[in-house]
Amino acid sequence: MTESSVHPALWPAPQASGSVDATVTVPGSKSVTNRALVLAALAAEPGWLRRPLRSRDTLLMAQALRSMGVGIEEGVGPDGSGEAWRVIPAGLHGPVTIDVGNAGTVMRFLPPVAALADGPIRFDGDPRSYERPLNGVIDALRVLGARIDDDGRGSLPMTVHGGGALDGGPVEIDASSSSQFVSSLLLSAPRFNQGVEVRHTGSRLPSMPHIRMTVDMLRTVGAQVDEPETGGEPNVWRVSPSALLGRDLTVEPDLSNAQPFLAAALVTGGRVTIPDWPLRTTQPGDALREIFTTMGGSCELTEHGLTFTGSGRIHGIDVDLGEVGELTPGIAAVAALADSPSTLSGVAHLRLHETDRLAALTKEINELGGQVTETADGLRIEPRPLHGGTFHTYDDHRMATAGSIIGLAVPGVEIENVATTAKTLPDFPQMWTRMLGV
């Protein structure tokens, strides 16, 4: 192992020399891309996926599906309108080993798919993936008829012994640590012999917009879903067995990945436009319009996109982020630069993400001179004058972008391993410097 791999290079986060004024085209949504790949792989006919995100997480998903027999051809769409992937379903088979990296969508969405394959499918990944909870998916699949070897860990590595089909039916799970437990079962449920009835039995279910995204996308490909949002029983989702249709789907820009760029407008009192921001979406990142407006900006949404303008002042905020927890690092970074305290709540589950995001944010902001305190379910942030220093990322893409936001206003901030942003936003450093005109 080389010294550079042990001590990744430090990236000097550029300080803004004035108000930002930029248009930033954000790549496609990871959450939509990986859900679409699973649904297309399970369809009864080929489909197109336009403007997919090419990042570590989505390429791991594509490679995993290819290894089980699915055809995924990269090229341009049928009308020549830009990059598209043609997904050609096929009989799923093992034996194969799937590398999940540290992608929650891959490690949680694919075990139900593997249960439909013929043969053993082994799942492995980065060291951190062994620490992320998977018991909700493993236990549920066993109830539904799957055979899984995990040596009783409830986490990776593990092997799913696919039998070519899965009975399905009713199952109770505690998804309070990750909404992906619910989405994972719903995505494959149309292919289960009895479909599925998923009943969440735990405490508050986080990241509900991601479950709404799963339900919407299932309906787009012809699945029948009964869910709480449309008058169904609270915390219960039912998916009927059916064939899935091959569709021509265009992936929306990743609104959560737009966060650091909108934050730049807020921090510098500038203006940033994100083209193609959808007028209607289930993406959690859409909440940024309201949150960042409360913190001191204003926005205009048209059919062409979203323009966000900072006022030159940043206000603290008291906000429950339980439905949009992935936005917490960026909001915490902005809050550390505000003119009044902030309380971010409803995000205890972030301790189980790519890293313990609450502990990481507390440590890194405080080491730059901040005053952040962990609470039972979030963070209390008292703004203080900050100074330069190393901002560690813990192999977490959202930590890297959070540190970059702080670096806009604080000279001498260096991001350790900014390359971890390739997980969902491969060209982040170049996009960031272009926005600043550096």
Side-chain angles (χ1 to χ4, degrees):
M1 183 175 292
T2 66
E3 183 178 352
S4 61
S5 65
V6 177
H7 303 288
L10 298 179
W11 182 65
Q15 186 180 10
S17 58
S19 300
V20 169
D21 187 355
T23 295
V24 180
T25 300
V26 177
S29 163
K30 175 204 72 174
S31 298
V32 173
T33 299
N34 275 356
R35 283 167 172 78
L37 282 171
V38 171
L39 292 172
L42 296 176
E45 56 194 351
W48 286 95
L49 185 57
R50 299 174 186 262
R51 293 175 59 181
L53 173 67
R54 288 184 58 88
S55 72
R56 187 185 187 214
D57 280 16
T58 60
L59 294 176
L60 284 169
M61 178 68 85
Q63 181 54 38
L65 291 169
R66 287 188 181 107
S67 71
M68 287 190 283
V70 177
I72 301 177
E73 301 173 351
E74 301 183 31
V76 297
D79 57 2
S81 60
E83 183 175 9
W85 293 351
R86 182 158 174 79
V87 183
I88 305 168
L92 303 171
H93 61 78
V96 297
T97 295
I98 288 174
D99 176 13
V100 309
N102 192 18
T105 51
V106 181
M107 71 179 72
R108 293 170 181 149
F109 291 177
L110 287 187
V113 176
L116 298 170
D118 282 311
I121 311 293
R122 177 174 169 78
F123 290 83
D124 208 336
D126 297 352
R128 173 62 180 174
S129 71
Y130 292 11
E131 303 171 19
R132 301 185 67 181
L134 202 57
N135 55 298
V137 177
I138 293 171
D139 294 345
L141 286 175
R142 285 177 174 145
V143 170
L144 298 174
R147 184 163 70 90
I148 300 173
D149 292 336
D150 68 334
D151 293 331
R153 289 183 303 271
S155 62
L156 296 181
M158 69 175 188
T159 299
V160 178
H161 296 274
L166 197 66
D167 292 338
V171 65
E172 295 185 351
I173 63 171
D174 180 352
S176 54
S177 62
S178 176
S179 68
Q180 290 176 351
F181 293 171
V182 174
S183 288
S184 72
L185 298 173
L186 301 185
L187 286 168
S188 294
R191 290 282 303 272
F192 299 168
N193 295 337
Q194 303 173 44
V196 81
E197 177 188 281
V198 179
R199 184 179 300 269
H200 167 61
T201 60
S203 56
R204 178 180 178 177
L205 189 60
S207 304
M208 279 297 297
H210 278 129
I211 297 180
R212 297 185 196 116
M213 177 188 294
T214 298
V215 170
D216 277 6
M217 293 183 69
L218 277 162
R219 288 174 173 158
T220 296
V221 296
Q224 296 180 337
V225 187
D226 176 37
E227 46 101 21
E229 298 287 320
T230 53
E233 189 177 348
N235 289 328
V236 177
W237 293 262
R238 297 181 179 90
V239 180
S240 303
S242 66
L244 297 180
L245 305 173
R247 290 296 197 197
D248 187 334
L249 175 69
T250 299
V251 178
E252 298 174 351
D254 193 315
L255 306 189
S256 295
N257 276 342
Q259 180 182 35
F261 306 101
L262 299 181
L266 188 55
V267 169
T268 68
R271 179 177 62 185
V272 168
T273 297
I274 309 293
D276 301 320
W277 192 288
L279 297 176
R280 176 192 172 276
T281 181
T282 54
Q283 288 192 61
D286 195 45
L288 289 167
R289 292 190 290 138
E290 178 180 352
I291 293 169
F292 278 172
T293 296
T294 301
M295 297 186 80
S298 61
C299 65
E300 180 183 12
L301 178 61
T302 70
E303 61 184 8
H304 303 295
L306 178 76
T307 296
F308 187 85
T309 305
S311 63
R313 296 189 63 187
I314 305 171
H315 308 308
I317 190 171
D318 186 342
V319 62
D320 185 328
L321 298 175
E323 292 212 344
V324 294
E326 66 194 50
L327 304 180
T328 302
I331 294 169
V334 173
L337 303 171
D339 59 12
S340 57
S342 295
T343 301
L344 314 183
S345 60
V347 288
H349 61 286
L350 293 189
R351 294 187 171 96
L352 302 171
H353 274 226
E354 279 82 346
T355 187
D356 179 342
R357 284 179 171 164
L358 300 184
L361 287 165
T362 299
K363 180 177 182 294
E364 296 310 311
I365 295 175
N366 287 351
E367 289 194 352
L368 299 182
Q371 185 173 331
V372 181
T373 306
E374 279 193 63
T375 65
D377 70 339
L379 300 172
R380 173 75 175 170
I381 302 170
E382 298 274 355
R384 292 286 185 271
L386 302 181
H387 55 72
T390 300
F391 196 95
H392 298 92
T393 63
Y394 309 90
D395 293 324
D396 186 335
H397 55 132
R398 301 208 191 278
M399 287 296 295
T401 53
S404 301
I405 292 168
I406 292 173
L408 290 170
V410 179
V413 174
E414 294 187 311
I415 311 299
E416 171 264 336
N417 191 19
V418 74
T420 194
T421 52
K423 178 178 170 66
T424 60
L425 196 56
D427 297 324
F428 171 74
Q430 295 83 354
M431 294 172 67
W432 196 246
T433 53
R434 274 200 306 271
M435 174 192 69
L436 294 170
V438 178

